Amino acid sequence: MECGAPVAFDDAPCQRCDGRGYRVFERIVRLSIFESPVSDLVKRFKYYHGWPIGELLARRAAQLDRVRYLLEETDVLVPVPLHPLRQMVRGFNQAQVFSAALGRLSGTPVASPAIRVRNTPHQTFHHRTERRRNVRHAFALTSGRRIAGKRVTLVDDVFTTASTLKELANTLKPARPISINVLTIAMADPKNYRFESV
């Protein structure tokens, strides 16, 4: 699983990346597919101040071999930052809550080497191309010290088209991390049919 998408059986061709993965990431690991009950939990966590759900999902993720192996090869976790205005309205950053819980469980440090400088519109209802355009130049590197020469794992709640994660990874590259991986709670439908609900 180069991109983390589900396949019908071992060695089956991947509908999302055709076995090539994403050049900017070494590995992508997910807790689940974005379908019930995980999709319901993510929505409650994200939109209804469900902080304890983030802790619960982190504990579940830490029990999975694929997540444990990734964390063993991670020097620092980097949650996808929210724009300050959106974080103020929401009250928290769900990726930060999930990362902090995983960091405590695994002993992996959490860093915030970048900030979100553009308050981009929600990605919901945007087509893949529009999503890429929407997040262009959305982040700025503020301090590369914590990730320089480190194996970095970006953490987000839902992986859809990877536009946000790719933009963040490209923002971090001048700090010269050894590698960049992705850990996400859920991955949207690999054929891109249900991105509107994410």
Side-chain angles (χ1 to χ4, degrees):
M1 273 194 309
E2 294 297 325
C3 73
V7 290
F9 52 87
D10 289 344
D11 300 323
C14 176
Q15 300 174 56
R16 185 187 290 266
C17 75
D18 198 28
R20 291 186 302 272
Y22 291 93
R23 274 182 297 157
V24 71
F25 310 123
E26 276 198 16
R27 230 175 355 156
I28 299 168
V29 174
R30 60 177 163 76
L31 170 59
S32 175
I33 299 303
F34 191 74
E35 60 188 18
S36 191
V38 172
S39 58
D40 302 324
L41 287 171
V42 168
K43 288 174 187 175
R44 289 188 60 168
F45 171 35
K46 189 170 179 175
Y47 300 116
Y48 298 98
H49 303 286
W51 288 53
I53 294 171
E55 301 271 342
L56 172 91
L57 291 168
R59 283 197 301 274
R60 177 66 187 115
Q63 293 170 352
L64 299 175
D65 286 343
R66 63 181 176 267
V67 174
R68 281 203 311 271
Y69 295 149
L70 177 62
L71 291 172
E72 286 170 7
E73 297 173 0
T74 297
D75 297 317
V76 61
L77 296 169
V78 174
V80 173
L82 284 179
H83 188 271
L85 288 176
R86 185 164 300 166
Q87 185 160 335
M88 188 171 66
V89 169
R90 188 169 293 167
F92 68 103
N93 176 349
Q94 68 280 359
Q96 176 68 42
V97 170
F98 184 66
S99 297
L102 273 175
R104 283 192 301 275
L105 291 164
S106 65
T108 309
V110 178
S112 298
I115 58 170
R116 196 159 196 147
V117 292
R118 286 185 51 233
N119 192 12
T120 55
H122 284 285
Q123 294 281 65
T124 307
F125 303 117
H126 284 274
H127 183 269
R128 178 184 296 270
T129 307
E130 294 169 328
R131 285 175 181 246
R132 275 197 299 268
R133 213 171 19 244
N134 190 30
V135 295
R136 195 168 294 141
H137 308 300
F139 303 102
L141 183 66
T142 54
S143 173
R145 270 185 311 109
R146 296 280 308 276
I147 61 169
K150 300 286 176 67
R151 298 169 299 176
V152 172
T153 294
L154 304 182
V155 181
D156 206 2
D157 55 349
V158 181
F159 185 108
T160 51
T161 62
S163 299
T164 300
L165 289 159
K166 285 180 186 175
E167 185 67 25
L168 179 57
N170 287 328
T171 300
L172 300 181
K173 278 188 171 180
R176 298 181 180 259
I178 292 174
S179 62
I180 300 178
N181 295 300
V182 172
L183 174 59
T184 183
I185 296 171
M187 178 170 281
D189 177 70
K191 288 184 103 47
N192 306 331
Y193 294 143
R194 292 194 292 271
F195 283 175
E196 301 82 30
S197 66
V198 179

